[in-house]
Structure formats: structure tokens, C-alpha cells
Amino acid sequence: MEKIRFDVVGLYHWDVHSYWKEYAAGAVGKKLVMQPMPENTKDPYAVRAREGSLHVGHVAVPDLDVVYQALKGSGKTRLRGVVVESNPEPPVLTVECEVEAVDWDYDPFDNSPYLGWHYDGLPLIPKRLEQLDDLTADLIDGLESGLPNGADALEELASRLLESNFYDVSREMTRMRYRIERLLAQRPEPELQEAARKLRWQKGMLMRHDDRDLVARYLFLDHPKALRQKGLEDSHYTYDNRLDELEQQLRAFPWQLYDKFLSDPVDFLREVYYKHVPRKYLNQLLSGIVLMILKGRVEIQRWGRNGDTEPIRQIESLAPSMSPSDREKAMIASLRELLEMKNARGNLIISQKNQWAGILSVLSFDYRVESTDLRDLCRKMDAWGFGRDSGLKCYCDYESVSKCSDYANLPFNNWRGSGTAHQRQVRAATELRGILRPRIGYR
């Protein structure tokens, strides 16, 4: 027989939600049944915990792997266990199950969603993550077969693991955390047992918002900042000629995880845990995200539940910088290119003067040209050579633009409408964005 331990969380969402504090406070000794939920749309690997007819909560995401290993090894469809520890706030119940066997080689997760996906850009994973494979292997070997310096060497390896593994949210590291924790807990040395306790505490950190925020800042701000300081943009091959292709590869990642990163990098990490992403594919996704950050091609909508804007501004500041004069020249060249663009039928995309409303929206809200005052923006376009005296058929004209002020005075993402006139504005803005972003970035 073997004993396994895992955590049950989410008490305030289910049948004990109205008295979860009281329930958690008196939970030690309660008998729970763990039942897989393959029909769960959020996570088909979810396992709910019940006490009788009460739905108490779910097995914590980092512990799902070992639960399925125990189910497979014991040939059972559900597990029965006893609550041996309880943390009332936040509510976490630690459950112990005694099972006939655990199939430690069993991998319950489906790799098929990733088989058709690839990323062939620059690998940009932090060194501490690259070194985790060797570190975990050395620690497991030492715990199972011994090291020359005994407990001191094991404690040093465990300390290094505690510093590094926190930032690896892959499926494989989740499994290794559990295996190493069990091996450390079986040792007689108090220092190694304390390392096991810390490792167990770390295991669920990314399910807590504040800890996910710390990891997101490291992966998407501190690490790119360090790469920028090393002069990555001056390396012999920076992928500038393939950024559109690489961005398409990222957007094709299963579960729309790249889009979820753009929506909220903090919540993105929770989604990675829910999807049980293998390290190989996760490292490629993270590398692509870091590359897009360094190239100024990310536009993050929100940071965390509080909508913190400071990390977003810092990430934007990592984009390649241009002098004001070079930036203005690039914008003027982009506008000229847009005015010459034709559709598949050979017709000019900018065919009406009022389409400058969509153009000015992009310049004002995306690239902060002048103020949002239409007269000021039109004067700027006149100074750039796109006004009435330019000789252009579709020159920037205040009277025409003001009739479409609903477009000019709102960011592109806030536009609402339909019909041909709306589509003309959308096309103007979309094409200009597509020209400007490779030249200037997103801001």
C-alpha cells in the first residue's frame, strides 16, 4: 500500500460556500470521495471532492497528475481519503489517500492538440529554466542513491530548486515537484523535511493571483529587460524579416493561449496550468512571447484583476526606440504607402476623404500623434503633406473627417457599426496598423 497527499481547494464556490470558513476549520478527519469529471468544459481532468452528497471543492490543479496516477495504478474510478490538514483562509484541505499502488509512469494528459503546432523562432527561455532538467535529475539521483557529501549536498540542490522551479509551470515540472517532495519528506534530516514543506507550499502558488503576478513580471518584464541589456537586437539574426510569420505561429497555439496572454499575462499563467501544457511546447510559446515583447509587437489589454498599468507601460518601453524625427519619417512613409494601396480588384483602398477619420484614430490613440482634437490632427496632416494643397484626390479634410467623428474620436477597438461605410473605416485603420507595426511597433 502507498499513501499520497494532495490538496482540495475552491470551497467557497460549491455546496459549502455559505459556511466555508467553519467547514474548513472543522475539516480534519472528514472522509472525502474524489471523482474525476471528464465532462468539465474548463478542465476535462478536473476531480471534484465530495463528502456524502456535498460537493466540497476540487483537487488542486498541480495535484491532478498524482491523483490520476493513483487511480490508474490502483485500477479505481474514484479515490477515498481523509482530511489530515486544514488551512481555513484561504481554504485548503490536505487529503491523504491510501491506495494499492501508484503508476508513477502514467501520463494521463492528451498531447494531440499540440502535434500540429510548431514554432521555429529564437529560443529565449531564462537560464534558470534551461537548467531545471539537470537540477531535478541530480536531486532525484541524490535522494534515491545518495551523494558524496550527503545531506549538505542535497540541501544545496533543494535550495536551488526552490529558487528556480517556481517559474516553471509546465506539466513535467508539476510532476517533478510532487516526486521530489515525497523523496525529501522521507528523509530524516529536518532541513530536507523543511525543503519538502516549502516545495509543497510552492506547488500551488500559481493558482494564487499575487504569486502569478510575480511570475508574470519575471517572465514578461524582468527577463526581456535582461535580454535587452545584453543587446539581443544586435545579434546576427534577429528574425526581423519573419516576425509576421512567427506571430501567426503563436496565434495558432492550441487553446488560444497567445491571445489569452495579450488579454492578461497574469491570468494566462492560470490557463497554462488548466491546460497542462508540456514543457517543450510551453517553452516555445514563452520564447515567442518574449521575442514579440522585444520587437514591440504586443498590445496587452489588462494586467491582473486590479488592472495594473505600470507593468504594461514597462513592457511597452522595451520596444525598439526611434528618434522623433525617424518616427515621423516612418509615419509619413506609411501614410503614403496606404494611400497607394489597392485591393484585389485594383481599386484604391482609401477612396473617400472621410476615411481619414479611421486613419486619425489610429495615429491618435495607437501612436499618440498630437492630441485627440480633430482640428489639431488635421493641421498635423497638412504639415506632413496630406492636406488640401497636397494634390491628393483623397486629402485630409476637417469637414469630411468631422462627419465621421464617431470613428476619429474613439480607439479602433471601441468602434461599433456595420455596413459599407463602417467597413471602409475598418479597412483604412486595419491596413494602416499593418503597415505601421513592422516599422514602429504598437505604440
Side-chain angles (χ1 to χ4, degrees):
M1 301 290 284
E2 287 198 55
K3 289 182 179 179
I4 61 170
R5 286 192 175 191
F6 49 85
D7 292 335
V8 171
V9 297
L11 276 66
Y12 33 61
H13 292 306
W14 304 101
D15 292 346
V16 298
H17 68 92
S18 61
Y19 58 100
W20 59 265
K21 289 185 180 181
E22 295 83 355
Y23 186 91
V28 173
K30 290 183 180 294
K31 296 180 180 180
L32 301 184
V33 174
M34 275 52 66
Q35 175 68 51
M37 301 178 65
E39 74 284 357
N40 187 304
T41 56
K42 180 70 174 178
D43 181 3
Y45 299 101
V47 175
R48 68 173 178 169
R50 294 188 296 109
E51 183 195 12
S53 61
L54 289 178
H55 182 176
V56 175
H58 285 88
V59 173
V61 172
D63 288 332
L64 290 175
D65 190 37
V66 71
V67 169
Y68 276 95
Q69 289 167 339
L71 288 168
K72 179 68 164 61
S74 301
K76 296 181 179 295
T77 58
R78 61 179 65 186
L79 295 180
R80 299 182 183 276
V82 177
V83 179
V84 293
E85 296 177 13
S86 177
N87 180 33
E89 193 169 356
V92 179
L93 309 181
T94 300
V95 178
E96 184 175 271
C97 288
E98 191 173 69
V99 295
E100 289 87 348
V102 179
D103 186 352
W104 294 109
D105 296 323
Y106 174 57
D107 184 355
F109 304 118
D110 182 12
N111 278 334
S112 61
Y114 309 101
L115 297 182
W117 184 81
H118 74 286
Y119 173 77
D120 56 0
L122 199 64
L124 294 172
I125 295 299
K127 284 292 184 183
R128 65 173 62 181
L129 297 192
E130 291 181 357
Q131 296 166 352
L132 267 178
D133 279 339
D134 290 339
L135 179 58
T136 53
D138 289 346
L139 184 53
I140 289 173
D141 286 346
L143 288 167
E144 291 183 337
S145 59
L147 287 176
N149 295 328
D152 290 341
L154 289 172
E155 185 179 356
E156 194 271 333
L157 286 174
S159 297
R160 287 170 53 197
L161 179 69
L162 286 166
E163 293 173 0
S164 303
N165 85 94
F166 179 35
Y167 300 98
D168 186 330
V169 296
S170 67
R171 177 199 304 172
E172 290 85 352
M173 194 62 221
T174 299
R175 174 175 286 196
M176 288 298 100
R177 285 188 190 103
Y178 197 94
R179 182 177 178 186
I180 292 171
E181 176 210 327
R182 292 179 74 249
L183 291 171
L184 288 169
Q186 292 168 5
R187 297 284 300 202
E189 297 88 351
E191 296 82 4
L192 297 183
Q193 292 183 9
E194 176 64 11
R197 187 193 66 79
K198 290 181 179 179
L199 193 62
R200 178 166 187 79
W201 177 75
Q202 273 192 358
K203 184 174 55 180
M205 287 180 79
L206 289 182
M207 301 313 294
R208 295 191 285 269
H209 176 271
D210 290 347
D211 297 312
R212 291 201 311 275
D213 183 276
L214 290 174
V215 175
R217 287 171 186 262
Y218 171 74
L219 291 175
F220 308 128
L221 181 56
D222 297 342
H223 174 54
K225 189 181 295 183
L227 291 174
R228 172 69 71 222
Q229 292 171 350
K230 291 179 181 178
L232 174 73
E233 68 275 15
D234 298 325
S235 62
H236 69 286
Y237 186 34
T238 58
Y239 289 81
D240 285 341
N241 61 331
R242 294 189 55 215
L243 291 177
D244 288 342
E245 176 190 346
L246 295 176
E247 188 171 6
Q248 290 176 0
Q249 292 177 12
L250 296 176
R251 290 191 180 278
F253 193 89
W255 320 114
Q256 294 80 49
L257 282 183
Y258 181 65
D259 289 334
K260 289 177 179 176
F261 161 77
L262 295 175
S263 297
D264 183 346
V266 179
D267 196 55
F268 159 81
L269 293 172
R270 182 178 64 173
E271 290 298 314
V272 168
Y273 245 157
Y274 277 133
K275 301 307 179 187
H276 311 281
V277 182
R279 176 183 287 151
K280 171 186 175 181
Y281 301 104
L282 178 58
N283 284 353
Q284 292 174 9
L285 175 61
L286 294 175
S287 290
I289 288 173
V290 171
L291 181 63
M292 293 299 146
I293 288 172
L294 292 171
K295 297 301 179 181
R297 291 175 69 102
V298 301
E299 188 173 16
I300 296 170
Q301 298 175 18
R302 184 179 178 84
W303 187 279
R305 65 175 61 148
N306 298 321
D308 191 357
T309 58
E310 175 264 334
I312 297 177
R313 287 197 300 269
Q314 289 196 46
I315 288 174
E316 289 175 352
S317 72
L318 293 172
S321 59
M322 300 178 70
S323 69
S325 61
D326 287 343
R327 179 182 172 88
E328 183 169 299
K329 289 176 183 177
M331 288 189 171
I332 292 171
S334 298
L335 289 171
R336 287 175 179 161
E337 181 179 337
L338 175 67
L339 293 173
E340 295 173 359
M341 286 184 68
K342 296 181 179 181
N343 60 24
R345 297 179 179 179
N347 299 321
L348 289 170
I349 289 173
I350 306 302
S351 58
Q352 297 187 16
K353 288 187 288 185
N354 62 19
Q355 286 179 278
W356 276 93
I359 294 171
L360 295 183
S361 169
V362 172
L363 294 177
S364 176
F365 291 99
D366 287 19
Y367 292 92
R368 299 165 186 162
V369 175
E370 291 295 321
S371 65
T372 56
D373 182 86
L374 291 185
R375 289 190 184 275
D376 289 345
L377 285 165
C378 289
R379 291 190 190 102
K380 172 65 77 173
M381 294 306 101
D382 186 53
W384 281 3
F386 300 105
R388 185 182 298 273
D389 298 330
S390 64
L392 296 168
K393 179 181 178 180
C394 290
Y395 58 84
C396 182
D397 174 60
Y398 173 75
E399 298 300 326
S400 299
V401 170
S402 62
K403 294 176 182 178
C404 298
S405 59
D406 286 350
Y407 293 95
N409 290 331
L410 286 174
F412 177 75
N413 292 337
N414 292 346
W415 290 359
R416 298 292 182 270
S418 60
T420 304
H422 174 74
Q423 291 303 319
R424 279 197 293 265
Q425 298 288 356
V426 170
R427 186 69 183 273
T430 302
E431 295 293 350
L432 180 58
R433 280 178 149 196
I435 296 170
L436 284 170
R437 286 176 175 176
R439 290 178 175 173
I440 300 177
Y442 276 80
R443 294 291 178 189

